[in-house]
Amino acid sequence: MRPGGAGRPGEGRPRALPPHVLFAERLLAVLTGERPVHWMLGQTIGEAYEQLIHLAPANPLRPTGAAGPSPGRRARPVLRHCAGSPLGPGVVEAYASVSAGGRVRAMAFRLELGTDRRWRCAAVELGPA
């Protein structure tokens, strides 16, 4: 630590996750049934909310396979990999692989940066089960 209490830049602060990783976690929470679809209302634009309304009721990424830490509960699906590619200023196409029990599912989504400097999900797709 430097004199006067100032450490190195970024020291002691959690590193912010890239927007595509944050949104992958948010989408995972909705598609496992952990969060309701309306939780994504202010975080979606265009067709994305409608896509979630159609996908979420089936809980396509719900926990399956091996039991989790509590008896009778399944292990929560986790992000195995997530990456994003900028398509232009303020637009990112992202993909993630999700491990759910013994299965791995693909998830793709598009993020767009609004005039308010907030990222919003504009489209969501899941790979086959």
Side-chain angles (χ1 to χ4, degrees), residues 9-92:
E11 194 174 84
R13 279 182 260 140
R15 199 173 93 205
L17 293 173
H20 60 275
V21 175
L22 288 171
F23 271 87
E25 286 287 354
R26 291 173 185 169
L27 291 169
L28 183 59
V30 170
L31 296 173
T32 59
E34 198 174 293
R35 294 281 189 164
V37 176
H38 69 264
W39 184 63
M40 293 293 290
L41 256 175
Q43 301 172 60
T44 56
I45 56 173
E47 295 294 314
Y49 189 72
E50 289 296 321
Q51 290 167 329
L52 287 174
I53 287 173
H54 293 291
L55 288 170
N59 298 116
L61 299 177
R62 70 186 166 281
T64 61
S70 302
R73 295 203 56 194
R74 302 290 181 202
R76 182 190 188 275
V78 294
L79 286 178
R80 290 179 53 172
H81 180 76
C82 184
S85 299
L87 293 182
V91 179
V92 173

Side-chain angles (χ1 to χ4, degrees), residues 2 62 64 68 103 111:
R2 294 181 184 165
R62 70 186 166 281
T64 61
R103 305 177 306 170
L111 300 178

